[in-house]
Amino acid sequence: MGKRQILLIGPLPPPNGGVSIHVHRLAKMLSGKYVFDYIDESKTVKPEYFNFCSLHLIRYLKKLIKSDLVYIHSGTPALQYFHIVAGKITGSRVMITLHAYPFKKKWLPRILDRILFSLANEIILVNPLFKERISLPKKKCSIQNAFIPPIMEEESCLPDQNVQWIKTAADNNHKVICSNAWRLDVFNNQDLYGLDLCIEVTARLLKKGYLVKFIFNIATIDKYAASYKQYQEKINGMNLDNHFLLINEQLSFVRLMEQSDVFVRPTNTDGDSLSIRESLFLGRKTVASDVVERPAGTILFKNR
């Protein structure tokens, strides 16, 4: 009997985000047991993968039909619904991981979530707090954090300019703080990933005499080019350009954390942050907002 075929649906790197990295590592970890096929939802089209944005419905349905399991990692509700319904129509076994579920969600989307997610055969919640935010069939749900340890030998080296920036900071006795964002999303009319907080805390630390340098990487600018420019202007306007480095690069964030002293995750909503678990895995000081349950060892602060 041949290996079972699993169709993974969700974003694939690049760009590198928590979910796209999880999907990549999951397939690599289980490659000896299963055969994997992919439907990529990233806006960065890769020739080797079928991209959902191509809207080739026949090819899409063929992939579902020939798979033993349709495993959904989409973050957008409309896509989650579409893949679940399509999977059930084609007679596939459907599994979904909810990588995030906000505390505040209107009643109609919450009802739709409850009805349509319940059609899946198995539902994985990456954070136990999600059970309190949405009512789903208990027999179908399990709680599993999304962390799959990185294989450090396979992580690419940091770009030379970033290595030099960190080295210069260390040579001048500065502590290096790092953070990251998938993109500059807004949630509840606030910067979801807390870039504004990181800029503000850098200014406060410097004012108190602490020697710090902060590096913040955004994986994809996407439709937020104007916001990215505004933040760069804010950094310059606060005279922080020598202390706060805002970048948009496809780099190994694991390598960046490895060479930093502190990692910060100041989000105003979250699932099970891959970066937090990677930071703890590397033995780095890890500071995060208290918006969800965080892993042991995380230093918490009250969100905003």
Side-chain angles (χ1 to χ4, degrees), residues 233-268:
E233 291 172 349
K234 182 176 182 178
I235 291 164
N236 294 333
M238 295 174 69
N239 296 316
L240 293 175
D241 43 305
N242 289 325
H243 292 274
F244 198 104
L245 182 62
L246 177 61
I247 57 175
N248 163 229
E249 296 183 23
Q250 294 305 315
L251 50 72
S252 166
F253 195 71
V254 173
R255 290 293 185 197
L256 183 56
M257 285 191 289
E258 184 183 38
Q259 296 188 39
S260 301
D261 299 292
V262 180
F263 167 69
V264 179
R265 177 82 172 181
T267 55
N268 68 355

mmCIF file of all heavy atoms in Angstrom, residues 233-268:
data_model
loop_
_atom_site.group_PDB
_atom_site.id
_atom_site.type_symbol
_atom_site.label_atom_id
_atom_site.label_comp_id
_atom_site.label_asym_id
_atom_site.label_seq_id
_atom_site.Cartn_x
_atom_site.Cartn_y
_atom_site.Cartn_z
ATOM 1 N N GLU A 233 9.368 57.290 8.631
ATOM 2 C CA GLU A 233 9.416 58.736 8.886
ATOM 3 C C GLU A 233 9.293 59.039 10.384
ATOM 4 O O GLU A 233 9.942 59.965 10.897
ATOM 5 C CB GLU A 233 8.299 59.437 8.109
ATOM 6 C CG GLU A 233 8.521 59.413 6.595
ATOM 7 C CD GLU A 233 7.332 59.938 5.814
ATOM 8 O OE1 GLU A 233 6.245 60.140 6.431
ATOM 9 O OE2 GLU A 233 7.459 60.142 4.595
ATOM 10 N N LYS A 234 8.478 58.253 11.078
ATOM 11 C CA LYS A 234 8.329 58.433 12.524
ATOM 12 C C LYS A 234 9.640 58.140 13.246
ATOM 13 O O LYS A 234 10.042 58.874 14.156
ATOM 14 C CB LYS A 234 7.228 57.512 13.056
ATOM 15 C CG LYS A 234 6.967 57.653 14.559
ATOM 16 C CD LYS A 234 5.811 56.777 14.991
ATOM 17 C CE LYS A 234 5.529 56.955 16.480
ATOM 18 N NZ LYS A 234 4.369 56.143 16.931
ATOM 19 N N ILE A 235 10.307 57.068 12.837
ATOM 20 C CA ILE A 235 11.595 56.702 13.435
ATOM 21 C C ILE A 235 12.610 57.825 13.228
ATOM 22 O O ILE A 235 13.316 58.231 14.166
ATOM 23 C CB ILE A 235 12.104 55.376 12.818
ATOM 24 C CG1 ILE A 235 11.208 54.212 13.263
ATOM 25 C CG2 ILE A 235 13.559 55.114 13.212
ATOM 26 C CD1 ILE A 235 11.379 52.963 12.427
ATOM 27 N N ASN A 236 12.666 58.348 12.014
ATOM 28 C CA ASN A 236 13.595 59.443 11.726
ATOM 29 C C ASN A 236 13.203 60.711 12.482
ATOM 30 O O ASN A 236 14.072 61.435 13.002
ATOM 31 C CB ASN A 236 13.624 59.724 10.215
ATOM 32 C CG ASN A 236 14.208 58.563 9.428
ATOM 33 O OD1 ASN A 236 15.018 57.801 9.939
ATOM 34 N ND2 ASN A 236 13.789 58.421 8.181
ATOM 35 N N GLY A 237 11.893 60.994 12.548
ATOM 36 C CA GLY A 237 11.412 62.192 13.237
ATOM 37 C C GLY A 237 11.700 62.178 14.725
ATOM 38 O O GLY A 237 11.826 63.236 15.358
ATOM 39 N N MET A 238 11.803 60.976 15.313
ATOM 40 C CA MET A 238 12.112 60.837 16.741
ATOM 41 C C MET A 238 13.603 60.688 16.980
ATOM 42 O O MET A 238 14.032 60.398 18.095
ATOM 43 C CB MET A 238 11.358 59.633 17.315
ATOM 44 C CG MET A 238 9.842 59.792 17.311
ATOM 45 S SD MET A 238 8.954 58.290 17.835
ATOM 46 C CE MET A 238 9.389 58.213 19.575
ATOM 47 N N ASN A 239 14.391 60.876 15.917
ATOM 48 C CA ASN A 239 15.853 60.754 15.977
ATOM 49 C C ASN A 239 16.300 59.378 16.473
ATOM 50 O O ASN A 239 17.257 59.249 17.245
ATOM 51 C CB ASN A 239 16.450 61.856 16.876
ATOM 52 C CG ASN A 239 16.215 63.247 16.315
ATOM 53 O OD1 ASN A 239 16.379 63.474 15.115
ATOM 54 N ND2 ASN A 239 15.808 64.173 17.174
ATOM 55 N N LEU A 240 15.576 58.354 16.016
ATOM 56 C CA LEU A 240 15.897 56.991 16.426
ATOM 57 C C LEU A 240 16.578 56.192 15.316
ATOM 58 O O LEU A 240 16.801 54.986 15.475
ATOM 59 C CB LEU A 240 14.613 56.258 16.842
ATOM 60 C CG LEU A 240 13.899 56.755 18.096
ATOM 61 C CD1 LEU A 240 12.591 55.983 18.287
ATOM 62 C CD2 LEU A 240 14.789 56.618 19.321
ATOM 63 N N ASP A 241 16.902 56.846 14.203
ATOM 64 C CA ASP A 241 17.410 56.114 13.050
ATOM 65 C C ASP A 241 18.705 55.363 13.332
ATOM 66 O O ASP A 241 19.017 54.393 12.649
ATOM 67 C CB ASP A 241 17.586 57.039 11.841
ATOM 68 C CG ASP A 241 18.215 58.369 12.203
ATOM 69 O OD1 ASP A 241 17.678 59.045 13.090
ATOM 70 O OD2 ASP A 241 19.242 58.714 11.595
ATOM 71 N N ASN A 242 19.469 55.780 14.353
ATOM 72 C CA ASN A 242 20.692 55.060 14.719
ATOM 73 C C ASN A 242 20.431 53.946 15.734
ATOM 74 O O ASN A 242 21.346 53.196 16.079
ATOM 75 C CB ASN A 242 21.742 56.027 15.293
ATOM 76 C CG ASN A 242 22.318 56.944 14.227
ATOM 77 O OD1 ASN A 242 22.481 56.535 13.073
ATOM 78 N ND2 ASN A 242 22.615 58.182 14.603
ATOM 79 N N HIS A 243 19.198 53.871 16.201
ATOM 80 C CA HIS A 243 18.878 52.897 17.254
ATOM 81 C C HIS A 243 17.725 51.967 16.892
ATOM 82 O O HIS A 243 17.549 50.933 17.546
ATOM 83 C CB HIS A 243 18.549 53.617 18.567
ATOM 84 C CG HIS A 243 19.713 54.302 19.178
ATOM 85 N ND1 HIS A 243 20.599 53.674 20.019
ATOM 86 C CD2 HIS A 243 20.164 55.582 19.037
ATOM 87 C CE1 HIS A 243 21.538 54.521 20.396
ATOM 88 N NE2 HIS A 243 21.299 55.685 19.823
ATOM 89 N N PHE A 244 16.940 52.321 15.893
ATOM 90 C CA PHE A 244 15.803 51.479 15.505
ATOM 91 C C PHE A 244 15.904 51.200 14.011
ATOM 92 O O PHE A 244 15.814 52.110 13.180
ATOM 93 C CB PHE A 244 14.473 52.163 15.820
ATOM 94 C CG PHE A 244 13.300 51.214 15.861
ATOM 95 C CD1 PHE A 244 12.758 50.807 17.074
ATOM 96 C CD2 PHE A 244 12.751 50.708 14.690
ATOM 97 C CE1 PHE A 244 11.682 49.923 17.120
ATOM 98 C CE2 PHE A 244 11.685 49.830 14.718
ATOM 99 C CZ PHE A 244 11.146 49.435 15.941
ATOM 100 N N LEU A 245 16.063 49.929 13.675
ATOM 101 C CA LEU A 245 16.199 49.525 12.282
ATOM 102 C C LEU A 245 14.941 48.777 11.853
ATOM 103 O O LEU A 245 14.670 47.675 12.318
ATOM 104 C CB LEU A 245 17.432 48.622 12.113
ATOM 105 C CG LEU A 245 17.741 48.155 10.689
ATOM 106 C CD1 LEU A 245 18.043 49.341 9.785
ATOM 107 C CD2 LEU A 245 18.918 47.169 10.693
ATOM 108 N N LEU A 246 14.159 49.410 10.987
ATOM 109 C CA LEU A 246 12.946 48.793 10.443
ATOM 110 C C LEU A 246 13.262 48.282 9.042
ATOM 111 O O LEU A 246 13.657 49.058 8.172
ATOM 112 C CB LEU A 246 11.810 49.818 10.394
ATOM 113 C CG LEU A 246 10.477 49.352 9.784
ATOM 114 C CD1 LEU A 246 9.892 48.192 10.571
ATOM 115 C CD2 LEU A 246 9.490 50.521 9.717
ATOM 116 N N ILE A 247 13.091 46.979 8.838
ATOM 117 C CA ILE A 247 13.481 46.385 7.560
ATOM 118 C C ILE A 247 12.361 45.507 6.996
ATOM 119 O O ILE A 247 11.459 45.075 7.719
ATOM 120 C CB ILE A 247 14.776 45.536 7.697
ATOM 121 C CG1 ILE A 247 14.593 44.441 8.766
ATOM 122 C CG2 ILE A 247 15.967 46.408 8.012
ATOM 123 C CD1 ILE A 247 15.781 43.489 8.885
ATOM 124 N N ASN A 248 12.445 45.267 5.714
ATOM 125 C CA ASN A 248 11.539 44.359 5.020
ATOM 126 C C ASN A 248 12.404 43.418 4.189
ATOM 127 O O ASN A 248 12.740 43.708 3.049
ATOM 128 C CB ASN A 248 10.567 45.152 4.135
ATOM 129 C CG ASN A 248 9.879 44.309 3.093
ATOM 130 O OD1 ASN A 248 9.832 44.653 1.910
ATOM 131 N ND2 ASN A 248 9.355 43.169 3.496
ATOM 132 N N GLU A 249 12.800 42.300 4.820
ATOM 133 C CA GLU A 249 13.722 41.379 4.159
ATOM 134 C C GLU A 249 13.265 39.940 4.351
ATOM 135 O O GLU A 249 12.663 39.589 5.377
ATOM 136 C CB GLU A 249 15.139 41.546 4.703
ATOM 137 C CG GLU A 249 15.747 42.919 4.417
ATOM 138 C CD GLU A 249 17.180 43.029 4.909
ATOM 139 O OE1 GLU A 249 17.842 41.982 5.057
ATOM 140 O OE2 GLU A 249 17.625 44.165 5.150
ATOM 141 N N GLN A 250 13.559 39.103 3.339
ATOM 142 C CA GLN A 250 13.294 37.677 3.448
ATOM 143 C C GLN A 250 14.513 37.024 4.098
ATOM 144 O O GLN A 250 15.424 36.566 3.421
ATOM 145 C CB GLN A 250 13.007 37.083 2.070
ATOM 146 C CG GLN A 250 11.722 37.588 1.433
ATOM 147 C CD GLN A 250 10.513 37.377 2.326
ATOM 148 O OE1 GLN A 250 10.330 36.299 2.905
ATOM 149 N NE2 GLN A 250 9.681 38.398 2.444
ATOM 150 N N LEU A 251 14.521 37.039 5.413
ATOM 151 C CA LEU A 251 15.659 36.491 6.146
ATOM 152 C C LEU A 251 15.192 35.421 7.128
ATOM 153 O O LEU A 251 13.999 35.252 7.368
ATOM 154 C CB LEU A 251 16.423 37.600 6.877
ATOM 155 C CG LEU A 251 15.650 38.605 7.746
ATOM 156 C CD1 LEU A 251 15.138 37.991 9.027
ATOM 157 C CD2 LEU A 251 16.535 39.801 8.066
ATOM 158 N N SER A 252 16.141 34.697 7.676
ATOM 159 C CA SER A 252 15.829 33.709 8.709
ATOM 160 C C SER A 252 15.666 34.443 10.038
ATOM 161 O O SER A 252 16.655 34.906 10.618
ATOM 162 C CB SER A 252 16.956 32.672 8.813
ATOM 163 O OG SER A 252 16.809 31.913 10.003
ATOM 164 N N PHE A 253 14.425 34.553 10.510
ATOM 165 C CA PHE A 253 14.227 35.257 11.779
ATOM 166 C C PHE A 253 14.806 34.457 12.941
ATOM 167 O O PHE A 253 15.177 35.027 13.963
ATOM 168 C CB PHE A 253 12.744 35.565 12.002
ATOM 169 C CG PHE A 253 12.515 36.583 13.076
ATOM 170 C CD1 PHE A 253 12.854 37.905 12.868
ATOM 171 C CD2 PHE A 253 11.997 36.215 14.305
ATOM 172 C CE1 PHE A 253 12.683 38.855 13.869
ATOM 173 C CE2 PHE A 253 11.811 37.152 15.307
ATOM 174 C CZ PHE A 253 12.152 38.474 15.084
ATOM 175 N N VAL A 254 14.893 33.156 12.776
ATOM 176 C CA VAL A 254 15.543 32.327 13.801
ATOM 177 C C VAL A 254 16.994 32.774 13.980
ATOM 178 O O VAL A 254 17.487 32.897 15.104
ATOM 179 C CB VAL A 254 15.479 30.833 13.417
ATOM 180 C CG1 VAL A 254 16.300 29.993 14.386
ATOM 181 C CG2 VAL A 254 14.045 30.349 13.418
ATOM 182 N N ARG A 255 17.683 33.011 12.866
ATOM 183 C CA ARG A 255 19.076 33.482 12.932
ATOM 184 C C ARG A 255 19.158 34.862 13.574
ATOM 185 O O ARG A 255 20.093 35.163 14.317
ATOM 186 C CB ARG A 255 19.675 33.528 11.534
ATOM 187 C CG ARG A 255 19.928 32.164 10.906
ATOM 188 C CD ARG A 255 21.015 31.411 11.648
ATOM 189 N NE ARG A 255 21.339 30.157 10.984
ATOM 190 C CZ ARG A 255 22.009 29.154 11.554
ATOM 191 N NH1 ARG A 255 22.406 29.278 12.820
ATOM 192 N NH2 ARG A 255 22.268 28.052 10.894
ATOM 193 N N LEU A 256 18.165 35.709 13.282
ATOM 194 C CA LEU A 256 18.163 37.045 13.868
ATOM 195 C C LEU A 256 17.969 36.963 15.385
ATOM 196 O O LEU A 256 18.665 37.645 16.147
ATOM 197 C CB LEU A 256 17.061 37.894 13.245
ATOM 198 C CG LEU A 256 16.978 39.348 13.707
ATOM 199 C CD1 LEU A 256 18.294 40.076 13.497
ATOM 200 C CD2 LEU A 256 15.852 40.073 12.992
ATOM 201 N N MET A 257 17.047 36.117 15.834
ATOM 202 C CA MET A 257 16.854 35.940 17.274
ATOM 203 C C MET A 257 18.090 35.343 17.928
ATOM 204 O O MET A 257 18.447 35.702 19.051
ATOM 205 C CB MET A 257 15.638 35.037 17.534
ATOM 206 C CG MET A 257 14.313 35.731 17.312
ATOM 207 S SD MET A 257 12.902 34.773 17.923
ATOM 208 C CE MET A 257 12.850 33.460 16.727
ATOM 209 N N GLU A 258 18.726 34.435 17.213
ATOM 210 C CA GLU A 258 19.925 33.773 17.741
ATOM 211 C C GLU A 258 21.005 34.795 18.083
ATOM 212 O O GLU A 258 21.761 34.614 19.044
ATOM 213 C CB GLU A 258 20.441 32.781 16.703
ATOM 214 C CG GLU A 258 21.627 31.953 17.159
ATOM 215 C CD GLU A 258 22.130 31.034 16.053
ATOM 216 O OE1 GLU A 258 22.136 31.450 14.876
ATOM 217 O OE2 GLU A 258 22.528 29.900 16.377
ATOM 218 N N GLN A 259 21.074 35.886 17.309
ATOM 219 C CA GLN A 259 22.115 36.882 17.515
ATOM 220 C C GLN A 259 21.635 38.094 18.314
ATOM 221 O O GLN A 259 22.387 39.046 18.507
ATOM 222 C CB GLN A 259 22.665 37.327 16.156
ATOM 223 C CG GLN A 259 23.348 36.199 15.396
ATOM 224 C CD GLN A 259 24.062 36.672 14.151
ATOM 225 O OE1 GLN A 259 24.676 37.729 14.136
ATOM 226 N NE2 GLN A 259 24.000 35.865 13.093
ATOM 227 N N SER A 260 20.382 38.046 18.788
ATOM 228 C CA SER A 260 19.836 39.135 19.594
ATOM 229 C C SER A 260 19.834 38.746 21.066
ATOM 230 O O SER A 260 20.020 37.580 21.420
ATOM 231 C CB SER A 260 18.406 39.462 19.135
ATOM 232 O OG SER A 260 18.377 39.848 17.775
ATOM 233 N N ASP A 261 19.603 39.735 21.924
ATOM 234 C CA ASP A 261 19.549 39.480 23.370
ATOM 235 C C ASP A 261 18.124 39.264 23.864
ATOM 236 O O ASP A 261 17.896 38.487 24.797
ATOM 237 C CB ASP A 261 20.162 40.674 24.122
ATOM 238 C CG ASP A 261 21.618 40.900 23.750
ATOM 239 O OD1 ASP A 261 22.451 40.048 24.099
ATOM 240 O OD2 ASP A 261 21.909 41.911 23.086
ATOM 241 N N VAL A 262 17.177 39.961 23.237
ATOM 242 C CA VAL A 262 15.789 39.915 23.691
ATOM 243 C C VAL A 262 14.867 39.854 22.469
ATOM 244 O O VAL A 262 15.118 40.523 21.462
ATOM 245 C CB VAL A 262 15.421 41.174 24.523
ATOM 246 C CG1 VAL A 262 13.968 41.109 24.999
ATOM 247 C CG2 VAL A 262 16.364 41.342 25.700
ATOM 248 N N PHE A 263 13.808 39.044 22.574
ATOM 249 C CA PHE A 263 12.759 39.036 21.560
ATOM 250 C C PHE A 263 11.473 39.552 22.182
ATOM 251 O O PHE A 263 11.119 39.178 23.310
ATOM 252 C CB PHE A 263 12.522 37.624 21.013
ATOM 253 C CG PHE A 263 11.259 37.507 20.208
ATOM 254 C CD1 PHE A 263 11.144 38.119 18.973
ATOM 255 C CD2 PHE A 263 10.152 36.819 20.708
ATOM 256 C CE1 PHE A 263 9.964 38.044 18.235
ATOM 257 C CE2 PHE A 263 8.967 36.730 19.973
ATOM 258 C CZ PHE A 263 8.883 37.348 18.731
ATOM 259 N N VAL A 264 10.755 40.409 21.445
ATOM 260 C CA VAL A 264 9.518 41.003 21.943
ATOM 261 C C VAL A 264 8.365 40.668 20.988
ATOM 262 O O VAL A 264 8.510 40.750 19.770
ATOM 263 C CB VAL A 264 9.653 42.538 22.068
ATOM 264 C CG1 VAL A 264 8.347 43.143 22.564
ATOM 265 C CG2 VAL A 264 10.789 42.890 23.009
ATOM 266 N N ARG A 265 7.211 40.296 21.576
ATOM 267 C CA ARG A 265 6.000 39.998 20.808
ATOM 268 C C ARG A 265 4.842 40.812 21.395
ATOM 269 O O ARG A 265 4.076 40.326 22.236
ATOM 270 C CB ARG A 265 5.699 38.497 20.893
ATOM 271 C CG ARG A 265 4.416 38.045 20.185
ATOM 272 C CD ARG A 265 4.599 37.858 18.714
ATOM 273 N NE ARG A 265 3.418 37.252 18.095
ATOM 274 C CZ ARG A 265 3.324 36.962 16.802
ATOM 275 N NH1 ARG A 265 4.338 37.229 15.996
ATOM 276 N NH2 ARG A 265 2.236 36.419 16.308
ATOM 277 N N PRO A 266 4.676 42.080 20.974
ATOM 278 C CA PRO A 266 3.676 42.948 21.596
ATOM 279 C C PRO A 266 2.354 43.007 20.833
ATOM 280 O O PRO A 266 1.761 44.079 20.673
ATOM 281 C CB PRO A 266 4.384 44.309 21.581
ATOM 282 C CG PRO A 266 5.214 44.267 20.333
ATOM 283 C CD PRO A 266 5.554 42.822 20.056
ATOM 284 N N THR A 267 1.849 41.885 20.368
ATOM 285 C CA THR A 267 0.624 41.848 19.570
ATOM 286 C C THR A 267 -0.624 42.116 20.418
ATOM 287 O O THR A 267 -0.632 41.853 21.623
ATOM 288 C CB THR A 267 0.463 40.483 18.890
ATOM 289 O OG1 THR A 267 0.526 39.454 19.892
ATOM 290 C CG2 THR A 267 1.568 40.236 17.878
ATOM 291 N N ASN A 268 -1.695 42.617 19.761
ATOM 292 C CA ASN A 268 -2.940 42.834 20.506
ATOM 293 C C ASN A 268 -3.948 41.706 20.292
ATOM 294 O O ASN A 268 -5.048 41.743 20.821
ATOM 295 C CB ASN A 268 -3.555 44.199 20.153
ATOM 296 C CG ASN A 268 -4.062 44.288 18.728
ATOM 297 O OD1 ASN A 268 -3.900 43.364 17.928
ATOM 298 N ND2 ASN A 268 -4.668 45.416 18.389
#
